[in-house]
Amino acid sequence: MVPIQMVDLKRQYLKIKTEVDEAIADVVQNTSFINGKAVTDFSAALGQFLDIEHVVPCANGTDALQIAMMAVGLEPGDEVITPSFTYIATTEVMALLRLNPVFVDVDPKTFCIDPSKIRAAITPKTKAIVPVHLYGQSAPMEEIMAIAKEFGLFVIEDNAQAIGATIQFSDGTVHLTGTIGDIGCTSFFPSKNLGCFGDGGAIVTRNASLADKMRMIANHGQSKRYYHDLVGCNSRLDSIQAAVLNIKLRHLNQYNEARRQAADFYSKAFASNPKIVTPFIAKGNTHVFHQYTLILNDCNRDELVGQLAAVGIPAMIYYPVPAHRQNMFSFLNLPAVDLPVTDWLTHRVVSLPIHTELDQDQLNFIVDHVNAFTK
Ligand SMILES: *Cc1c(COP(=O)(O)O)cnc(C)c1O
């Protein structure tokens, strides 16, 4: 059996090696390393894939979030509602911009921000909501957008884990994650569902003036060459990464489908295991399974992870410490924050290998061992 990895980037690359190698060689031949044709082509292709007008490529997903928050004019002391149960980047950029993250608990079934708890967190200082489509499933965007409209708040979607996921609203319309709020931010970190061969990111919006402003911010606040109107940063997607992404974007739907099939196999195999709660897919959502994350009942998680590791099955905890308990935020005086669901999940979740290259032998091996070690 092929050794099992959390993500098997090598085998994925080998399937598209010729195309990818040619695309990279082309950039090298042209030496158009920054803002080359590959970047323009990829931005257009991503806009088409997401059916959205404006795509601003940038250096990584963290920058995407930072640039988005800068573009909507958030100021020090403004409050931003966001989950604590997420990767640190979502909230780290808030601290960097001297914004105050207001952590709201998540839904124990979907792992995403619980809309019923957002209202109570709104104060006169609240300016934005940053939902995270955690593990590849949309946050409840219909409720979030309704609240944002009622209170005049910006919505910036952290779509780093869910590119290609959709949600259906009650009027029957289907929306791609990242295209619903004012701005969507994504990451092309290698292990993401659409990953490049280094760092990369993008910001998308339907709002032309926000797009212009984000383009400026990502380029030293420059309006025309050597004229700088805003304090910005230097955040570029380089041409080699864009060339790789151009090829991989063509396969994204198929990649997401492969992840869904692996997830479906897992969930069927664990359905009758009382120690395991398999991922819940909210009605109307298509999940793209950036992670396949279980909740363990009455089970020693460390022991399970150790037993799995001993037979060659990696398993990870995403994330062992929620944002509101990170030392980084000690300046915010957060002990009063009570997020029982976040804390509960933090102690019980475990993620199994999920990627585009899992074969049937590997899947059988994983489910047999997980079932054996948890029963
Ligand atoms: C990966 C990720 C980011 C950051 O993306 P980078 O490209 O690594 O900077 C932000 N938010 C979430 C939820 C992520 O998973």
Side-chain angles (χ1 to χ4, degrees), residues 278-341:
T278 58
F280 170 81
I281 305 176
K283 190 167 167 280
N285 278 8
T286 55
H287 201 310
V288 295
F289 288 99
H290 174 62
Q291 298 300 343
Y292 181 85
T293 303
L294 303 171
I295 303 173
L296 298 174
N297 276 329
D298 257 340
C299 190
N300 184 328
R301 184 172 65 175
D302 291 342
E303 195 178 282
L304 172 66
V305 171
Q307 286 171 314
L308 291 172
V311 295
I313 301 172
M316 295 286 289
I317 311 306
Y318 300 116
Y319 297 92
V321 182
H324 74 290
R325 296 197 180 278
Q326 297 285 355
N327 291 337
M328 173 192 284
F329 290 120
S330 53
F331 74 97
L332 283 172
N333 215 0
L334 288 172
V337 172
D338 185 28
L339 304 175
V341 178

Side-chain angles (χ1 to χ4, degrees), residues 35-54:
N35 286 334
K37 183 171 178 295
V39 177
T40 329
D41 287 352
F42 172 65
S43 299
L46 185 65
Q48 215 161 39
F49 180 88
L50 293 174
D51 194 17
I52 197 160
E53 293 85 343
H54 308 285

Side-chain angles (χ1 to χ4, degrees), residues 60-62 65 86-87 89-90 132 158 160-161 187 189 192 200:
N60 55 69
T62 309
L65 289 158
T86 177
Y87 180 55
T90 318
V132 181
D158 182 340
Q161 301 192 359
S187 162
F189 185 80
K192 298 285 156 87

Side-chain angles (χ1 to χ4, degrees), residues 231-265:
V231 174
C233 56
N234 169 17
S235 188
R236 294 184 279 241
L237 178 70
D238 72 65
S239 304
I240 288 184
Q241 301 310 333
V244 173
L245 290 166
N246 251 328
I247 309 285
K248 289 184 69 175
L249 180 60
R250 295 175 204 149
H251 301 275
L252 181 58
N253 283 331
Q254 174 209 325
Y255 288 160
N256 284 341
E257 186 53 36
R259 287 172 177 272
R260 262 193 296 273
Q261 276 176 20
D264 195 47
F265 180 81

Side-chain angles (χ1 to χ4, degrees), residues 197-216:
F197 290 1
D199 276 306
I203 321 162
V204 300
T205 182
R206 303 193 185 284
N207 180 319
S209 64
L210 274 180
D212 287 345
K213 196 165 172 195
M214 292 194 290
R215 242 179 230 110
M216 274 173 74

